[in-house]
Amino acid sequence: MKSVFSILVPLLFALFFLSLFGEKIPYNDGAGFDGTFYREVFRNFSNDFFSIGYDGFRIQRIFPFCAMNLVYGALNIPLDNSHMLWGMGVLHIFNLILQVVFFFKLAILRNWKKSTTAILFSIFFFNYYVLKNCGYELFQTDAFAITIALVSYYLLLRDKFALSFAVSLLGLFTWPTITTINLLLILFRQNLQPIPEENRLGKILYRITPAAYAVAATGIITLLIVLHKQDALVQFLQVDLSAGLLILSLVTAIGLLWVLCKKGSFPFFYSPAQFYFIFSLKTAVLLILPIIAIKVFLGFHTNEEVFFNGRVFLFQTLIRPLKYPAITIAGHVAYLGILLPLILLQFRRFSKDFVSISPGHALAFLGFLFLAIDSEARHIVTFLPIILIPLGSVLDSLDLAPRKAAILVILQLILSHFYIPINVEGLAQSLTDLNFTSDAAQRFFMSFGPWMTFKSYLLWILTSFAVFTAIWAVLRKTSP
């Protein structure tokens, strides 16, 4: 393993530094769009938090910028844009080192084969976000949320539940999904081997999931049209309305869900009685109380500004996959590379291994499936540490030869498209004009599914087809 990773690890840091010290988003002096708010948290947290407060959505994402404000204040470092940009760069370096350390801790704990570890390493690190977007937009919470998720999950696998939960509480200031998933994993952590037999809940999930999505999506679309809120629908889709395109996209999405449910392990889902049997009210109270305390504390510092809400998030998750047929796959390949195609091609084994870990993992699996529906792949990044476990089991069972593992690693590296410059002529003006559909703007926005133009969609859906074909060719003679 040392010989392989003596190449992969230095390559990771070389490419990361290339991004870190390379081009920055030419908008708001390198802060970008959402990053402008978080840069102001970095600059003014100690004043704003106790005076004007923050809106209810973004107050849950102020870490690590709030901590950086306190550090800069203690060290008397100037809080101008250049010094803050430098500080975030240093923080991202330490954050990546921490991720690499805990990734290998996880690999040793699970005793993955060398080929499996190399593939999982490439999926976790050789993707568009780590190799390009992380350095391009430094004022984002994603990288630190991934680290919190990784560390807390590793501690959970080591049965250090109290410490795992304590780390996950940082998620309430960074990415609340982390805390929620960790809570479920701890509450329902008991392993119920052997894998449960078929039960009524599993059969219901298997049968109703595609239909439920169809009803929910068409219901939301119908409701918006009846209420004459077509503008909201256009905003969700980021494309002009077309009944034919919507129907085609909906049929495609339902068909994909039907195939997944048929291939997946829903019939082996746990019964309600099994969840009830292992549930501990005492443990639940002990875990939920600190969450409530932190929520109440943040509530005292939340202002009336509305930036985003849960209803909009639910609507967009269900509607955005209907922009173009199978745009979710294109968006995931553009952002995370081979991860989704690999999971889909091995979905029966992957889903079974995921669900069978524990009832808590079964609930996490459902959460992962829901968020993975969206074409914006960044919504599943905090699930990456958990995904590694069942995916690692699948890859170990395939026992890939070094040559085949190398093909997947190289393919992942190519798909990260870190080598494609973003800051071309016309980009700055397009961002200033909020024109996200120009060819220049698509250098950036094509990696985020909902903002793909049809031209970018065609590029990535065709790329996705080629990726599926390549992975299938690699795996076809090794499937168990």
Side-chain angles (χ1 to χ4, degrees):
M1 182 179 292
K2 289 183 179 180
S3 61
V4 175
F5 293 99
S6 63
I7 298 173
L8 292 182
V9 174
L11 179 61
L12 167 64
F13 280 95
L15 296 178
F16 185 77
F17 279 114
L18 186 66
S19 171
L20 195 63
F21 296 106
E23 54 188 6
K24 296 289 179 286
I25 185 168
Y27 189 77
N28 286 335
D29 197 19
F33 294 91
D34 293 348
T36 300
F37 170 84
Y38 299 115
R39 185 175 62 187
E40 292 309 304
V41 174
F42 192 150
R43 193 194 315 274
N44 297 315
F45 169 77
S46 53
N47 293 321
D48 291 349
F49 186 73
F50 297 99
S51 56
I52 62 175
Y54 301 117
D55 65 87
F57 177 79
R58 290 181 296 190
I59 199 171
Q60 301 174 95
R61 285 160 174 78
I62 58 175
F63 184 84
F65 313 104
C66 57
M68 291 297 285
N69 172 268
L70 299 177
V71 170
Y72 267 46
L75 298 178
N76 200 28
I77 301 174
L79 286 164
D80 56 71
N81 290 354
S82 61
H83 279 88
M84 288 191 292
L85 198 67
W86 178 86
M88 288 306 301
V90 172
L91 186 61
H92 273 284
I93 293 171
F94 282 109
N95 185 68
L96 182 63
I97 293 172
L98 194 61
Q99 287 183 3
V100 170
V101 168
F102 273 88
F103 173 86
F104 284 113
K105 282 179 173 288
L106 193 60
I108 293 170
L109 180 66
R110 302 300 297 183
N111 195 28
W112 288 324
K113 296 176 181 178
K114 183 190 295 186
S115 61
T116 296
T117 306
I119 295 168
L120 294 178
F121 181 90
S122 70
I123 290 173
F124 199 88
F125 294 109
F126 291 165
N127 53 63
Y128 169 78
Y129 174 68
V130 173
L131 297 187
K132 190 66 175 180
N133 188 246
C134 189
Y136 192 69
E137 293 186 285
L138 290 174
F139 293 94
Q140 296 289 341
T141 60
D142 303 41
F144 310 100
I146 293 170
T147 303
I148 294 169
L150 175 61
V151 174
S152 63
Y153 186 60
Y154 169 77
L155 293 170
L156 184 142
L157 293 178
R158 291 288 307 274
D159 294 335
K160 297 180 179 181
F161 302 115
L163 188 55
S164 171
F165 184 68
V167 172
S168 79
L169 287 176
L170 279 174
L172 296 176
F173 304 90
T174 315
W175 199 300
T177 305
I178 299 169
T179 312
T180 302
I181 296 301
N182 186 269
L183 174 67
L184 294 175
L185 292 177
I186 292 176
L187 285 178
F188 302 102
R189 65 183 180 271
Q190 185 173 336
N191 188 296
L192 297 179
Q193 294 289 358
I195 298 172
E197 298 296 329
E198 292 189 12
N199 59 75
R200 183 174 300 176
L201 176 60
K203 290 181 178 179
I204 291 173
L205 288 171
Y206 164 67
R207 292 171 179 171
I208 73 169
T209 297
Y213 175 74
V215 170
T218 54
I220 293 170
I221 292 171
T222 303
L223 178 64
L224 292 175
I225 292 175
V226 169
L227 296 177
H228 304 289
K229 294 186 178 294
Q230 287 91 335
D231 289 345
L233 186 56
V234 170
Q235 187 175 0
F236 285 138
L237 294 171
Q238 298 288 325
V239 70
D240 292 335
L241 289 180
S242 167
L245 185 60
L246 267 178
I247 293 172
L248 178 60
S249 299
L250 182 60
V251 170
T252 304
I254 294 170
L256 288 172
L257 280 175
W258 181 82
V259 171
L260 284 185
C261 289
K262 188 174 181 180
K263 290 183 64 177
S265 67
F266 279 172
F268 300 94
F269 208 81
Y270 300 89
S271 67
Q274 289 171 305
F275 282 99
Y276 176 78
F277 176 75
I278 63 174
F279 177 77
S280 167
L281 180 61
K282 178 182 178 181
T283 302
V285 170
L286 290 174
L287 295 178
I288 292 173
L289 281 177
I291 294 176
I292 293 175
I294 292 173
K295 289 282 190 181
V296 170
F297 172 72
L298 291 177
F300 285 124
H301 301 280
T302 300
N303 57 37
E304 299 298 320
E305 181 184 356
V306 177
F307 178 77
F308 199 64
N309 62 55
R311 184 174 65 253
V312 172
F313 178 78
L314 174 64
F315 281 14
Q316 74 175 22
T317 300
L318 295 173
I319 296 301
R320 295 199 300 191
L322 306 181
K323 180 174 183 175
Y324 300 123
I327 190 175
T328 292
I329 293 176
H332 279 254
V333 171
Y335 199 78
L336 292 174
I338 67 172
L339 175 63
L340 189 62
L342 191 57
I343 287 174
L344 295 180
L345 287 170
Q346 296 289 320
F347 192 71
R348 182 183 297 276
R349 176 66 188 272
F350 171 81
S351 57
K352 188 175 182 179
D353 286 355
F354 202 143
V355 169
S356 65
I357 299 173
S358 72
H361 281 81
L363 296 176
F365 175 69
L366 294 181
F368 162 69
L369 286 186
F370 174 74
L371 293 178
I373 290 173
D374 195 357
S375 56
E376 189 173 1
R378 65 186 292 264
H379 287 158
I380 68 166
V381 295
T382 55
F383 282 84
L384 285 178
I386 306 175
I387 293 170
L388 293 179
I389 304 306
L391 190 56
S393 297
V394 172
L395 292 172
D396 270 351
S397 70
L398 293 174
D399 195 20
L400 294 175
R403 179 179 61 85
K404 292 192 172 187
I407 291 173
L408 294 181
V409 171
I410 293 171
L411 180 59
Q412 175 71 4
L413 194 58
I414 293 172
L415 289 171
S416 68
H417 55 285
F418 68 90
Y419 45 84
I420 299 178
I422 298 177
N423 290 354
V424 297
E425 183 178 354
L427 175 64
Q429 189 60 50
S430 292
L431 297 181
T432 300
D433 297 339
L434 302 182
N435 176 16
F436 303 152
T437 60
S438 70
D439 287 344
Q442 281 295 297
R443 288 288 188 114
F444 175 64
F445 287 102
M446 71 174 181
S447 301
F448 303 90
W451 289 274
M452 284 182 177
T453 60
F454 187 69
K455 181 178 177 181
S456 295
Y457 160 74
L458 281 180
L459 168 65
W460 283 105
I461 199 66
L462 292 174
T463 300
S464 300
F465 178 77
V467 170
F468 270 94
T469 304
I471 296 176
W472 174 81
V474 169
L475 302 183
R476 66 191 175 100
K477 292 184 179 181
T478 54
S479 296

